[in-house]
Amino acid sequence: MDTGGNSLPSGPDGVKRKVSYFYDPEVGNYYYGQGHPMKPHRIRMTHALLAHYGLLQNMQVYKPLPARERDLCRFHADDYVNFLRSITPETQQDQLRQLKRFNVGEDCPVFDGLFSFCQTYAGGSVGGAVKLNHNICDIAINWAGGLHHAKKCEASGFCYVNDIVLAILELLKQHQRVLYVDIDIHHGDGVEEAFYTSDRVMTVSFHKFGDYFPGTGDIRDIGYSKGKYYSLNVPLDDGIDDESYHFLFKPIIGKVMEVFKPGAVVLQCGADSLSGDRLGCFNLSIKGHAECVKFMRSFNVPLLLLGGGGYTIRNVARCWCYETGVALGTEVDDQLPQHEYYEYFGPDYTLHVAPSNMENKNTRQLLEEIRNNLLDNLSKLQHAPSVQFQERPPDTELPEADEDQDDADERWDPDSDMEVDEKRPIPSRVKREAIEPERKDSEAPKGTAEQARGFDNMATNETLSTKSVDVRPMAIDEPTVKVEQETSNKASDPIYPKS
């Protein structure tokens, strides 16, 4: 089976890539609550567009294995994970002290199936990292992931579990250096904090800075100790457009790739940086946003694409559908195909939307100062850091063959599981998608594991501090996940009000 797409007209990113795509058909049924801007239903809308554009047949499609508690505890504190597993809407009134302690309540509400939701989106991101580590694909996609605000011991900004950190820890098993790039409108604070003292993970965040959540990401925040100059923050103002954005993005990322030489890249594609977002204030077009994906793809380095923010959900679906096409090397038509969510996209029913005429408060002088400042920081990195030879954890085992290779022609029926009404649950299956067999647990080696968070050597046990966000040395041993049926009462998502 040819897992690539049609080549784009020209350029190094016109070459076909093998793409693995992770999707659980239940994910769109999780519901944060009435009036909450975060709507997992947008993932289902994205998937519907991919199916009706015919993009799914060009990818390896997987239902993610749910991450187990043990997997989540490779970054998160045990008591925090136990809390997420046990809390329910019915019991939350009895745990007010715990709710406050773990910052769960308003922005991060308790809803039916909360822990299962966390397991699902984290499982997709870690699963994508595993596929990249085993050279199963060139690009892995999990649009349900990218929840970059979650901390070791607390929820934040609609995020409960930091799937990005977990995926990066998996990638560090095979790669000496991993680059994290964040184009969400909000600062990627949870990921930056996790690797702030490490020279093996460079974090680069392009975000609105000022009186804006989460309030972090100053250009002067550059990392600490061994991680000094390995955190880059690009503070932006309202109304930034495509041209201004790429005036910074391309030279900065180009220089990062030159000096840091990452073995793998994680790109968080938060769509709240698009023009017209319900919570955002930038003015990027879908093509301008996707140009970042295209640029990262051109380096031909293993690439993990994740979702993130995005609150005008019709535009989120448009964006991530188009960016899936970019990953495949396929140009998708602007005229949307008829599908079950077609009415969301009126009155034009097109894939692309025009940016607004809002003022761009990012002056050329300001942009040049930011660019020069960050390029100067990068010039202080003399060379890519090497990693001392040491015993490392065993690789995650994969099955001999992928199930979706068995009958490629029948794998995707145009009407497979797409006959879905958003007001009723969708079938708890993905027709002829590959569901990964259970991965085997492997004992942690008796030696030392690879460095994470700036430490060269660490114990391989699972002990983590549960009282501090700045974690002690962590083991990056074998993440293990299993297939298990989750039974939870999940409400379907209401029609998004036109903004």
Side-chain angles (χ1 to χ4, degrees):
M1 173 185 170
D2 182 4
T3 53
N6 297 322
S7 293
L8 292 173
S10 62
D13 50 337
V15 181
K16 293 180 181 180
R17 303 283 196 273
K18 288 184 178 179
V19 179
S20 292
Y21 167 78
F22 287 80
Y23 174 73
D24 189 320
E26 292 290 328
V27 75
N29 291 331
Y30 296 101
Y31 182 49
Y32 275 61
Q34 186 173 5
H36 198 289
M38 175 62 101
K39 300 183 183 297
H41 177 56
R42 66 203 178 129
I43 310 301
R44 187 161 59 196
M45 291 173 61
T46 302
H47 186 76
L49 283 179
L50 296 178
H52 287 271
Y53 266 113
L55 295 177
L56 293 176
Q57 62 192 351
N58 293 325
M59 300 187 287
Q60 301 162 320
V61 181
Y62 298 95
K63 181 178 179 181
L65 293 163
R68 300 191 312 184
E69 289 179 56
R70 179 167 175 258
D71 308 318
L72 304 180
C73 288
R74 290 193 166 83
F75 172 60
H76 294 286
D78 293 3
D79 53 353
Y80 174 55
V81 173
N82 289 335
F83 168 79
L84 290 177
R85 178 182 54 79
S86 62
I87 193 72
T88 67
E90 292 74 31
T91 63
Q92 62 178 325
Q93 291 304 315
D94 302 326
Q95 301 189 53
L96 296 179
R97 189 173 178 180
Q98 293 284 80
L99 288 169
K100 184 176 181 181
R101 175 187 174 193
F102 296 123
N103 196 35
V104 173
E106 294 184 9
D107 281 354
C108 301
V110 178
F111 56 84
D112 286 329
L114 169 60
F115 190 62
S116 178
F117 174 63
C118 295
Q119 290 179 295
T120 297
Y121 76 75
S125 297
V126 173
V130 169
K131 295 294 184 190
L132 293 171
N133 278 353
H134 286 81
N135 299 315
I136 301 299
C137 60
D138 306 307
I139 301 173
I141 300 174
N142 177 34
W143 294 129
L147 276 66
H148 57 173
H149 296 306
K151 309 293 175 56
K152 174 181 166 61
C153 299
E154 68 176 43
S156 177
F158 316 158
C159 308
Y160 303 86
V161 165
N162 201 313
D163 61 290
I164 306 170
V165 172
L166 296 171
I168 290 173
L169 291 176
E170 178 69 24
L171 290 169
L172 285 171
K173 291 183 184 180
Q174 288 290 339
H175 303 284
Q176 292 185 347
R177 294 171 300 280
V178 175
L179 171 63
Y180 172 67
V181 181
D182 191 316
I183 59 173
D184 193 290
I185 196 172
H186 300 96
H187 177 231
D189 58 335
V191 185
E192 177 185 280
E193 181 178 288
F195 299 107
Y196 204 64
T197 61
S198 173
D199 61 357
R200 292 190 60 201
V201 179
M202 177 172 278
T203 61
V204 186
S205 178
F206 297 78
H207 51 268
K208 159 74 175 171
F209 183 70
D211 185 17
Y212 200 73
F213 182 86
T216 52
D218 192 291
I219 196 170
R220 295 170 292 184
D221 297 334
I222 58 174
Y224 181 73
S225 186
K226 288 181 68 176
K228 189 175 182 180
Y229 301 122
Y230 290 91
S231 290
L232 266 65
N233 285 293
V234 188
L236 305 169
D237 208 342
D238 295 3
I240 192 164
D241 56 22
D242 295 350
E243 181 184 0
S244 297
Y245 201 88
H246 292 289
F247 177 78
L248 294 176
F249 186 89
K250 291 186 175 181
I252 290 170
I253 295 300
K255 189 66 174 178
V256 165
M257 295 299 290
E258 176 189 333
V259 301
F260 185 59
K261 295 181 171 59
V265 175
V266 179
L267 178 60
Q268 196 267 22
C269 303
D272 46 8
S273 48
L274 291 172
S275 179
D277 187 79
R278 181 177 171 184
L279 299 185
C281 55
F282 283 179
N283 199 22
L284 297 182
S285 70
I286 288 173
K287 283 190 175 180
H289 194 274
E291 185 66 23
C292 298
V293 178
K294 188 176 180 181
F295 190 68
M296 296 308 317
R297 182 186 189 273
S298 70
F299 292 98
N300 201 21
V301 171
L303 177 61
L304 177 60
L305 298 180
L306 303 176
Y311 308 102
T312 300
I313 61 174
R314 58 186 180 272
N315 291 346
V316 176
R318 284 173 161 125
C319 181
W320 291 345
C321 172
Y322 184 75
E323 290 177 344
T324 303
V326 169
L328 285 164
T330 301
E331 187 67 45
V332 292
D333 189 67
D334 187 41
Q335 188 60 46
L336 290 171
Q338 284 279 350
H339 65 290
E340 56 272 31
Y341 305 116
Y342 193 67
E343 69 277 5
Y344 279 69
F345 301 94
D348 296 330
Y349 304 101
T350 56
L351 188 65
H352 294 281
V353 291
S356 73
N357 60 355
M358 70 185 299
E359 177 190 0
N360 183 356
K361 295 184 178 179
N362 299 270
T363 66
R364 192 71 170 190
Q365 180 182 356
L366 176 64
L367 294 173
E368 288 178 351
E369 288 176 2
I370 292 171
R371 186 171 74 167
N372 293 339
N373 188 319
L374 294 173
L375 291 176
D376 182 61
N377 284 350
L378 286 168
S379 70
K380 295 170 183 174
L381 298 178
Q382 298 300 317
H383 53 79
S386 60
V387 178
Q388 181 180 358
F389 179 79
Q390 52 193 288
E391 185 177 354
R392 67 170 177 79
D395 297 336
T396 303
E397 294 183 14
L398 285 180
E400 290 285 326
D402 293 319
E403 293 178 26
D404 69 337
Q405 301 293 323
D406 295 340
D407 195 345
D409 292 334
E410 294 183 10
R411 182 160 54 95
W412 273 105
D413 184 327
D415 299 318
S416 58
D417 63 348
M418 288 294 100
E419 296 300 324
V420 179
D421 189 308
E422 63 273 15
K423 296 183 181 179
R424 60 183 171 84
I426 63 176
S428 58
R429 63 184 181 86
V430 181
K431 186 171 181 179
R432 297 192 184 277
E433 290 186 8
I435 301 177
E436 296 178 286
E438 179 175 354
R439 293 200 289 269
K440 298 178 182 179
D441 289 351
S442 300
E443 290 187 8
K446 294 181 180 179
T448 55
E450 289 188 307
Q451 167 206 11
R453 295 183 53 79
F455 295 90
D456 282 321
N457 297 290
M458 63 198 71
T460 55
N461 60 34
E462 295 271 336
T463 305
L464 295 174
S465 168
T466 60
K467 296 182 180 179
S468 172
V469 173
D470 187 14
V471 300
R472 295 181 300 200
M474 288 190 308
I476 321 176
D477 60 350
E478 187 72 53
T480 53
V481 289
K482 63 180 181 180
V483 177
E484 55 189 30
Q485 294 295 325
E486 294 292 340
T487 55
S488 57
N489 179 22
K490 287 167 272 190
S492 58
D493 195 65
I495 296 290
Y496 178 77
K498 300 248 190 307
S499 57

